[in-house]
Amino acid sequence: MSTDGPQDPEHLTRIFLTRVVEPGDEIAGRWLREYGAEEVARRLRDPGPRLPGVSEKRWAGLLARAARADPERDRAAAQAAGVRFLCPGGAEWPAQLDDLGDARPIGLWVRGQPGLRLWALRSVAVVGSRACTEYGAHMAATLSAGLAERGWIVVSGGAYGIDGAAHRGALAAAGATVAVLACGVDRPYPRGHAGLITRIAEQGLVIGELPPGDHPTPSRFLVRNRVIAALTRGTVVVEAALRSGSLVTARAAQRLGRFTMGVPGPATSGLSAGVHELLRGEAVLVTDAADIVELVGDIGQLAPDRRGPVLPRDLLEPAARRVLAALPGSGTASADEVARGAQTTEDDAVGRLYELRSLGFVERHSDGWKLTRQAVTSVRQDHVQC
């Protein structure tokens, strides 16, 4: 097991391997499990018989990469940028990443001061479409701010759209957030988020599998999503079209046994179609941070009951509400008519009417009883809620 420190022999070896092997390569992961990092690195540095499971062409490509790799240079570049490297099994390594099996990262490059292992224990992923709507951006920011206020770490991918809104929401609440990049953590991507990612590194963490200076590719974005899913207790998808990459994160979370949640959108919105498809399956519908915490949090962290506004007439006793309901919406009614409508005696109806008058619900007229303006408004509000 690694000591996760620069003096550990495996530390430099794994830095070398991050330059040679693509993230998420399960064949290379099997090599590491069966032969160990040192032996895999030796076979790549001193070409002999190729390791099993790859073609001659692919093996030649790996050897070419290995010939150009310079782990000492990568380590120096990382130190200059304030970046550290974590090995599996080290003190700061999040053990839940081991659930990825042979697709587990070779190591992680980390920019920022907090300890990743402790942060990951109480984290939630908030992901979604890059081309999001104002509604999606608002929901992502609001959910993330609510999670941050409750002491949860918000994890996302640093991209435009929902990712950026999630990070900003957590930061605005003076909370903690982690950006998982598909490139070197010293090279903010997208460039338009350079300021945001710098702020995340100052207030939270920026992490990735690729060595300093490495660039993103479409495939690297997709395999990056498995890290987001494995690192967190659950994944919330705010907006996603049917072919959105954020659905890859959600499905990876489901395979790993993590919670998967979706925020519903308009039924006519193509940007919510992917979320709605998730909700038709095993994903759970959530609308605020309390819903999320109830699902992923500890026992006893329950969301509040969902209720409409309390109307003045809700505070009345049932018998008084029946008498109030027996009065017409306009005009007056006699005590006898009210009693019949409320299915009670005339004496009881009169007593209830005087009680309602003292509360401002009814007025006494020479020809009977009528609702006050306050009572008419209350009744109309109740009908709207229905």
Side-chain angles (χ1 to χ4, degrees):
M1 299 293 281
S2 171
T3 62
D4 215 18
Q7 304 308 314
D8 176 21
E10 192 170 316
H11 192 267
L12 199 61
T13 299
R14 285 184 175 266
I15 288 177
F16 163 77
L17 291 171
T18 64
R19 181 65 71 179
V20 178
V21 176
E22 279 293 306
D25 186 333
E26 294 191 49
I27 293 175
R30 188 175 73 246
W31 294 342
L32 290 170
R33 174 169 51 82
E34 294 179 354
Y35 301 104
E38 292 288 344
E39 177 61 17
V40 172
R42 187 190 68 78
R43 299 276 287 271
L44 289 166
R45 286 190 179 111
D46 304 317
R50 71 176 184 270
L51 288 164
V54 294
S55 65
E56 287 281 3
K57 183 177 179 180
R58 186 175 173 197
W59 182 246
L62 291 171
L63 295 180
R65 281 189 172 195
R68 294 192 301 269
D70 186 344
E72 291 284 5
R73 182 181 60 201
D74 284 337
R75 181 161 64 181
Q79 289 174 346
V83 174
R84 61 189 181 276
F85 183 75
L86 308 183
C87 292
E92 201 183 337
W93 182 261
Q96 57 267 48
L97 291 180
D98 298 343
D99 293 347
L100 291 169
D102 289 339
R104 180 182 71 174
I106 292 170
L108 284 177
W109 301 88
V110 180
R111 181 178 164 203
Q113 296 303 313
L116 177 60
R117 182 173 187 171
L118 289 177
W119 271 30
L121 292 174
R122 193 175 171 85
S123 65
V124 175
V126 179
V127 299
S129 174
R130 286 175 171 79
C132 67
T133 65
E134 289 186 11
Y135 161 78
H138 168 75
M139 289 302 300
T142 302
L143 290 172
S144 299
L147 288 167
E149 289 167 355
R150 289 166 171 79
W152 285 80
I153 286 78
V154 174
V155 178
S156 199
Y160 292 132
I162 296 300
D163 287 14
H167 291 306
R168 290 189 183 96
L171 292 170
T177 187
V178 177
V180 185
L181 304 187
C183 57
V185 298
D186 62 331
R187 173 183 287 189
Y189 185 89
R191 292 183 180 179
H193 273 180
L196 174 62
I197 291 172
T198 297
R199 189 179 170 202
I200 293 171
E202 292 170 352
Q203 191 169 322
L205 290 170
V206 178
I207 70 173
E209 299 176 76
L210 291 158
D214 228 343
H215 62 278
T217 64
S219 63
R220 287 174 171 179
F221 282 115
L222 292 177
V223 296
R224 176 274 312 271
N225 292 346
R226 83 196 192 289
V227 175
I228 295 176
L231 193 65
T232 54
R233 297 276 287 271
T235 293
V236 183
V237 184
V238 178
E239 273 188 331
L242 288 171
R243 291 176 58 86
S244 172
S246 58
L247 299 182
V248 174
T249 311
R251 290 170 184 139
Q254 289 176 337
R255 288 194 300 271
L256 291 165
R258 311 292 197 263
F259 294 105
T260 308
M261 296 153 276
V263 177
T268 55
S269 173
L271 281 176
S272 289
V275 179
H276 296 160
E277 190 67 23
L278 285 175
L279 292 173
R280 291 178 63 193
E282 298 179 2
V284 177
L285 187 151
V286 294
T287 58
D288 59 19
D291 287 343
I292 298 168
V293 172
E294 179 178 25
L295 193 64
V296 304
D298 299 323
I299 294 175
Q301 292 182 287
L302 302 178
D305 292 337
R306 308 297 178 186
R307 296 181 179 178
V310 177
L311 301 175
R313 68 195 307 270
D314 294 333
L315 304 177
L316 298 173
E317 293 181 359
R321 284 204 299 273
R322 286 195 296 272
V323 169
L324 184 63
L327 284 158
S330 60
T332 61
S334 67
D336 179 58
E337 291 171 328
V338 172
R340 288 198 302 271
Q343 300 181 35
T344 186
T345 65
E346 185 174 347
D347 288 343
D348 180 63
V350 169
R352 298 293 180 186
L353 287 166
Y354 276 105
E355 176 187 344
L356 291 168
R357 187 178 74 166
S358 69
L359 296 172
F361 285 98
V362 301
E363 298 173 344
R364 180 77 170 91
H365 290 261
S366 57
D367 57 345
W369 297 84
K370 70 177 295 185
L371 294 171
T372 63
R373 181 175 298 177
Q374 170 192 333
V376 172
T377 301
S378 177
V379 169
R380 287 176 179 169
Q381 288 177 336
D382 195 31
H383 289 165
V384 169
Q385 297 302 316
C386 295

